[in-house]
Amino acid sequence: MIIDLTMENVFSIGKEQKFSFEAYEPADNGYEEHYICKIPKRGEYKKEEDRNYRLLKVALLLGANASGKSNILKSFDLLNEIMLKTRNRNEKFNYEPFLLNPKMEEVASKLCLNFLLEDDDGQYSRYKYLIEFTKNEILRERLDKYLSSQPSLVFERVSDEDNARGFRVEYGKKFKPNQIETMTIEANTLPNNSIISIFNKSNPLFNELKKVYGWGKKSFTMIIAPNTNTTRYTNRLLASERKLRDLGKSVLINADFNISNIDIDVQEIELNDKEKKLLKTLSEKAEENISIDDLKRRFYDLKLTHKVQIDGEEVEREFEEDLESLGTMKFYSLLGPYFSAFKINRLMMIDEIETSLHWELQKSLITLFLINSKKSQLIFATHNPLYLMWDIIRADSIYFTEKKDNGETDLYSLVDFNNINRENIFKKYLIGNYGAVPNINEYDLDLKL
C-alpha cells in the first residue's frame, strides 16, 4: 500500500507538495472498519497508537478547473513509469517541469514515494523510493527499507561525471549484492533508466530490487480519465469468468438501471503470421507467457437485458451497447478495473469521477470500493462539492488543489484547518473559506457582439 507521495517541479507543481494516505488521529474516526487498513509496523513501540500504519483506502481531490488535480494523479503515473520502464539512450521522460517559472527548468524534478511491501515472512516493511531527474536523465535514485523505525539503505545511485557510466552506486551493508549481481545491474543501467527498471531486460538475483519491481508492476493502474474507455477491459474480464459476470449483473441491478442480465459474445479471428510475431514480441517485453496458438484477435459483443413493467406484465428486451446511455456504459466500464482491484492490491486513479454519472451512482461506486477493497486504494478527482456533505467521506481523506497567483498548484488537506464541523464544511467551502474554488469575474464582462 502507498503511504504518501512527495512531488516537486513536475507539471503544475513547483514547490514541494505532499499527498498522503495516512489517517489522522483523532481528527476523524468514522467508518474505521471499511475506510482504514491497519498494518503492523516492524520494530518495538511503547505506545499502542504507534504500532500500526493506518492507511486510507479512499482519498479525493477537489478543486477548480486547471488547479492541478489531474497533475497529482499524473505524478503517481510518472513515478511508476520512471521506476519500471526501460528506455533507449536518447529517450526523454514523458513530462514537463513547472514551465511558468523559467528558473525551474534548471532545477531537478523530484518524486519520493513511501510504500508498504509484504516480505517473505508475511510482515510488511516500509520502503522509501526517491528519484531526482531532468527530462534527459536520472540525477539521483535511492531506495531505503525500514527494518525498524530507522531506514536502512538498499542502494543509492548518484551522477558522477568522473565515472565512465556517468553515475556511481552505493549499496547498503545489509543488502549488498554479490559481484556478479553488481556488474549485471550497473552494466544494464543507462543514465535515463532507473536501476529498478533493469528487471525488464535482465534478471539479477538482488532480492530487494526484484520485490520492488514486482510490486510496482502490479500495484499501479492507468489513470481513468473522462475519455478513457475501459469497456473492452471489463468485457474481457467478465467474459472470462462466470462468477465475475454474475457479480457485475448484481451491481448493475442494485444501481437501478433496470438491467437483468449481461451477455458477452466472444468472437475470435486467427491472426496472420506478421501479427502473431508482433504480439509475441510485445508479450515477451511485458514478461507475459503467451502461446502462439493463443494469439488471436478477439471481439466482444456486449448485450444488456432490460426488464420493465408494461401494463402489469414483465417485459425483457436485449440492447446493443450503442443503445445504452453514457452513464450506463460509464458505470459498467468501471466494473472491470474495480473487480481487478478487489483481487489484486493496487492503486486506482479516476479523474472526474462525476462524468456522466448521477450523484447517487458516484456514491455507490465509492461505497462499493470501501466495502470490497482489502488493501487497494482509490484516488479520485472531482469538481463535485457534494462530497463535502456526505458523512462517509472522512475529513482526512479530502484534499484541495488551488492555483496560486504564480500558477503553481497548492495541495493541502481539510484537516489542515481548525474547527472542522461536518455540518458546515460544504457551506464554508462555497463561500471560499477553504479556497480551491474558481475566481470568476463574470460581472466584469461587457461583450459587444
Side-chain angles (χ1 to χ4, degrees):
M1 295 186 74
I2 291 172
I3 300 173
D4 57 52
L5 176 67
T6 303
M7 304 149 276
E8 185 176 342
N9 195 26
V10 289
F11 308 116
S12 63
I13 301 159
K15 293 181 180 179
E16 181 178 291
Q17 304 291 324
K18 182 178 179 180
F19 184 94
S20 176
F21 277 104
E22 286 194 277
Y24 289 86
E25 285 280 19
D28 195 335
N29 293 316
Y31 303 95
E32 183 87 2
E33 177 184 357
H34 294 304
Y35 226 110
I36 306 297
C37 282
K38 294 183 180 179
I39 300 178
K41 296 179 180 178
R42 287 191 179 275
E44 299 294 329
Y45 299 87
K46 293 181 180 180
K47 297 181 180 179
E48 175 69 27
E49 59 267 27
D50 295 333
R51 294 173 187 170
N52 294 301
Y53 294 101
R54 298 177 63 255
L55 301 180
L56 300 166
K57 289 184 185 179
V58 170
L60 71 88
L61 291 162
L62 177 65
N65 293 90
S67 62
K69 298 185 300 297
S70 299
N71 288 333
I72 303 299
L73 304 182
K74 287 166 64 177
S75 296
F76 280 95
D77 205 38
L78 175 63
L79 179 133
N80 186 247
E81 181 186 341
I82 294 176
M83 180 193 290
L84 300 183
K85 182 181 176 182
T86 54
R87 293 170 176 77
N88 297 325
R89 182 174 292 274
N90 296 321
E91 188 177 351
K92 296 184 177 182
F93 296 124
N94 184 29
Y95 90 105
E96 294 294 340
F98 182 62
L99 296 176
L100 291 175
N101 185 344
K103 294 180 180 179
M104 298 299 285
E105 294 186 48
E106 308 300 323
V107 177
S109 299
K110 298 179 184 179
L111 293 170
C112 183
L113 184 74
N114 282 285
F115 60 97
L116 299 179
L117 198 160
E118 188 174 9
D119 280 324
D120 297 335
D121 61 3
Q123 295 189 65
Y124 281 80
S125 293
R126 173 186 167 192
Y127 287 79
K128 180 179 180 180
Y129 180 64
L130 168 71
I131 46 172
E132 299 179 14
F133 54 97
T134 65
K135 287 182 67 70
N136 300 306
E137 64 176 332
I138 294 174
L139 304 176
R140 183 185 177 208
E141 180 185 13
R142 180 181 175 116
L143 180 68
D144 290 299
K145 181 175 182 178
Y146 288 73
L147 297 173
S148 63
S149 59
Q150 298 300 315
S152 297
L153 175 68
V154 178
F155 76 86
E156 183 173 23
R157 162 254 196 103
V158 294
S159 295
D160 186 352
E161 295 180 357
D162 295 331
N163 189 295
R165 301 201 60 80
F167 63 87
R168 54 184 170 80
V169 183
E170 176 187 350
Y171 299 95
K173 295 179 180 179
K174 296 180 180 179
F175 306 103
K176 189 173 179 63
N178 61 42
Q179 186 176 3
I180 294 177
E181 290 170 345
T182 300
M183 292 174 61
T184 302
I185 289 169
E186 297 181 17
N188 284 278
T189 302
L190 297 175
N192 60 342
N193 280 226
S194 74
I195 285 181
I196 293 174
S197 72
I198 66 164
F199 286 90
N200 255 334
K201 55 185 178 182
S202 64
N203 191 25
L205 299 176
F206 193 4
N207 191 47
E208 291 303 322
L209 294 190
K210 191 171 185 178
K211 285 196 302 185
V212 172
Y213 174 83
W215 174 84
K217 189 170 182 181
K218 75 174 185 179
S219 295
F220 288 77
T221 61
M222 66 179 180
I223 300 170
I224 301 176
N227 60 349
T228 304
N229 189 345
T230 55
T231 301
R232 178 179 169 82
Y233 177 78
T234 298
N235 286 341
R236 179 163 60 86
L237 200 65
L238 269 58
S240 66
E241 194 171 333
R242 180 73 199 188
K243 180 181 178 181
L244 291 180
R245 194 154 67 252
D246 290 341
L247 289 174
K249 181 174 69 175
S250 297
V251 174
L252 292 175
I253 290 172
N254 289 334
D256 193 29
F257 287 114
N258 292 327
I259 292 172
S260 60
N261 194 38
I262 300 173
D263 183 67
I264 304 172
D265 182 34
V266 183
Q267 301 177 18
E268 294 185 342
I269 299 176
E270 287 286 343
L271 302 181
N272 59 42
D273 291 341
K274 185 177 181 180
E275 290 171 325
K276 286 183 178 180
K277 184 177 180 180
L278 174 61
L279 285 179
K280 185 65 174 176
T281 301
L282 292 175
S283 70
E284 289 172 351
K285 287 186 176 181
E287 297 183 351
E288 296 178 358
N289 295 319
I290 300 178
S291 167
I292 285 288
D293 296 332
D294 293 332
L295 296 179
K296 300 175 182 178
R297 187 183 290 117
R298 290 181 174 86
F299 296 92
Y300 299 93
D301 184 16
L302 171 67
K303 292 185 178 67
L304 299 175
T305 301
H306 289 253
K307 181 189 289 186
V308 295
Q309 293 282 337
I310 304 293
D311 296 330
E313 294 186 7
E314 285 190 350
V315 177
E316 289 188 326
R317 289 290 185 270
E318 200 173 58
F319 285 8
E320 298 280 353
E321 179 182 328
D322 57 2
L323 294 177
E324 298 291 349
S325 72
L326 290 176
T328 300
M329 291 311 303
K330 171 66 179 290
F331 193 92
Y332 170 82
S333 70
L334 288 173
L335 294 181
Y338 261 58
F339 290 164
S340 180
F342 298 158
K343 295 177 69 174
I344 302 172
N345 297 328
R346 54 181 35 164
L347 173 69
M348 276 191 68
M349 296 180 285
I350 304 179
D351 200 0
E352 297 188 20
I353 193 172
E354 67 271 17
T355 304
S356 301
L357 293 176
H358 187 276
W359 165 235
E360 294 297 331
L361 289 178
Q362 297 173 48
K363 288 166 65 177
S364 70
L365 284 171
I366 304 304
T367 306
L368 183 70
F369 192 93
L370 286 171
I371 292 173
N372 292 279
S373 166
K374 296 180 179 64
K375 291 186 176 68
S376 285
Q377 293 165 295
L378 168 67
I379 308 174
F380 66 95
T382 182
H383 302 107
N384 189 349
L386 290 177
Y387 282 105
L388 300 177
M389 298 179 65
W390 190 23
D391 63 345
I392 285 181
I393 299 297
R394 292 168 51 103
D396 52 6
S397 71
I398 297 172
Y399 273 83
F400 297 111
T401 56
E402 183 167 63
K403 182 169 58 177
K404 298 165 69 174
D405 290 341
N406 63 2
E408 288 186 30
T409 293
D410 191 18
L411 175 69
Y412 50 95
S413 171
L414 177 58
V415 296
D416 292 338
F417 295 86
N418 297 322
N419 302 319
I420 299 171
N421 187 327
R422 174 60 65 181
E423 295 180 359
N424 61 26
I425 291 174
F426 178 72
K427 181 179 179 180
K428 283 189 172 183
Y429 173 74
L430 291 184
I431 63 176
N433 285 17
Y434 302 129
V437 293
N439 183 19
I440 303 172
N441 299 314
E442 64 267 29
Y443 300 111
D444 293 341
L445 296 176
D446 184 12
L447 302 178
K448 297 177 180 179
L449 300 178

